[in-house]
Amino acid sequence: IVVYGHLDPKSLAPNGFKVKKGEIIGILGDAYSDETDGERKHLHLSMHNGDKLDLRGYATSEEALIAWDDPIAVLY
């Protein structure tokens, strides 16, 4: 499961969950808006193993990191 946060909902790829390398999946939300929780433009990306989704964006222990993929390791 790959989760992106703070994208403009109107800009999301119309084909849903199937995206290809290089395809634009969305545009960052406006800075200091509800889309970015009142913060500057930024993106959250998380990659999870299995089918349990954890939206916290952080792990509280090293053991909890087992459920997360390292994006750099996946790319190379």
Side-chain angles (χ1 to χ4, degrees):
I1 298 173
V2 178
V3 178
Y4 299 88
H6 300 303
L7 294 176
D8 178 352
K10 298 180 294 289
S11 74
L12 298 177
N15 58 352
F17 299 105
K18 304 277 184 180
V19 294
K20 296 176 185 171
K21 182 178 179 179
E23 183 177 354
I24 294 173
I25 59 162
I27 298 172
L28 289 175
D30 291 329
Y32 308 104
S33 70
D34 288 340
E35 295 165 345
T36 58
D37 293 332
E39 299 291 333
R40 62 179 169 42
K41 284 187 173 194
H42 64 285
L43 176 70
H44 290 254
L45 167 71
S46 61
M47 299 168 56
H48 301 266
N49 294 314
D51 57 3
K52 184 179 179 193
L53 183 58
D54 184 346
L55 295 176
R56 290 179 299 164
Y58 61 89
T60 56
S61 67
E62 191 165 343
E63 293 82 31
L65 291 174
I66 293 169
W68 299 58
D69 283 328
D70 178 355
I72 293 174
V74 172
L75 292 174
Y76 301 101

